[in-house]
Amino acid sequence: MRTKVSCSMKSPLILMVALLLLTSCSSRFFSYKGAVVTQKDQMIPLQETENQGVWKTNELAVNYHYSRMSEALKISGTVKLLGGFAIGFSSIHQLSVQLLFLDSHGVVIENAALFSAESDRSMDIMPMKFERTIAVPPETRYISFTYDGVLIDGSTDSTSVNIGNSPSRSLRW
C-alpha cells in the first residue's frame, strides 16, 4: 500500500534530512576542531610538569592548575567574570567554558567542556570552580580556553549582554 505525503509534510522532512546530513558530515558544527588561536598570549605551552597560571580576556579569567599524567591532563581551577561584567549583572543566563588542545601552529585538535552554568544562575555564586581529567591528543603542544555566555541584570527592564571569545575559523574544508 502506498501512502501519499502532502507537500506541507515534504518541506520539513527534507529540511530535517538536510540538517542531519550536514551535521553528520561536519564535526566542526559542534566542535572547534580546525579553528586557529592566533593570539600567542592566549596559547599556554603544555608542559610535562605541574603548571598554574591565569588565562584572561577583558571579560573573563580562568585561573588554572594542571598536571600532566602521560596521556591525560588533570586540570582544576576557577572561572571569574571581570570588571563591569562581574558587578553590572545579577545572573548568568548561560555560560560555557571549554579547554582547547592546540598543535604547534595553534590549530585546535580537540576541545573539552570545563564549566557550564545555565538557567539564570545567580552571580553571588562566585568564583565558579571546575575539575576534570581529560585525555590529551598526541599532537598537543599548547592549551587555551574559549567561552561564550549571556549575562542578565535583575531589573524589571532586564538587559542582557553576550560575551565570548573563540578561535578563528579557517575557510579550509
Side-chain angles (χ1 to χ4, degrees), residues 52-63:
Q52 64 183 17
V54 178
W55 178 95
K56 68 180 182 175
T57 66
N58 63 341
E59 301 168 324
L60 180 136
V62 177
N63 293 290

Side-chain angles (χ1 to χ4, degrees), residues 2-164:
R2 292 181 71 177
T3 58
K4 288 187 175 183
V5 177
S6 71
C7 286
S8 63
M9 293 289 291
K10 285 182 183 177
S11 295
L13 183 61
I14 291 171
L15 180 61
M16 286 179 18
V17 170
L19 284 173
L20 180 63
L21 288 172
L22 177 66
T23 58
S24 65
C25 293
S26 176
S27 64
R28 295 177 193 217
F29 199 76
F30 298 107
S31 172
Y32 289 101
K33 283 183 183 179
V36 180
V37 174
T38 56
Q39 295 177 300
K40 294 290 183 192
D41 64 335
Q42 291 190 351
M43 296 171 55
I44 303 160
L46 185 60
Q47 301 172 358
E48 295 293 330
T49 60
E50 284 191 35
N51 198 352
Q52 64 183 17
V54 178
W55 178 95
K56 68 180 182 175
T57 66
N58 63 341
E59 301 168 324
L60 180 136
V62 177
N63 293 290
Y64 63 89
H65 177 268
Y66 75 75
S67 58
R68 186 164 182 185
M69 305 167 297
S70 65
E71 298 172 6
L73 185 72
K74 183 174 183 179
I75 187 165
S76 61
T78 58
V79 174
K80 181 179 172 186
L81 293 167
L82 300 176
F85 296 102
I87 58 175
F89 296 90
S90 61
S91 62
I92 298 170
H93 181 66
Q94 178 273 327
L95 178 63
S96 174
V97 179
Q98 298 211 13
L99 174 66
L100 303 175
F101 293 100
L102 313 173
D103 70 9
S104 60
H105 302 290
V107 177
V108 178
I109 301 167
E110 194 66 55
N111 54 283
L114 282 182
F115 178 83
S116 181
E118 295 181 10
S119 303
D120 300 332
R121 178 181 173 165
S122 171
M123 295 287 265
D124 294 339
I125 305 173
M126 296 288 270
M128 301 165 272
K129 297 180 181 184
F130 62 89
E131 184 172 346
R132 299 270 325 266
T133 300
I134 305 165
V136 178
E139 309 84 30
T140 303
R141 298 295 175 264
Y142 298 93
I143 60 171
S144 190
F145 300 91
T146 185
Y147 65 91
D148 66 83
V150 179
L151 309 177
I152 303 173
D153 74 4
S155 68
T156 54
D157 297 329
S158 188
T159 301
S160 66
V161 65
N162 294 328
I163 62 170

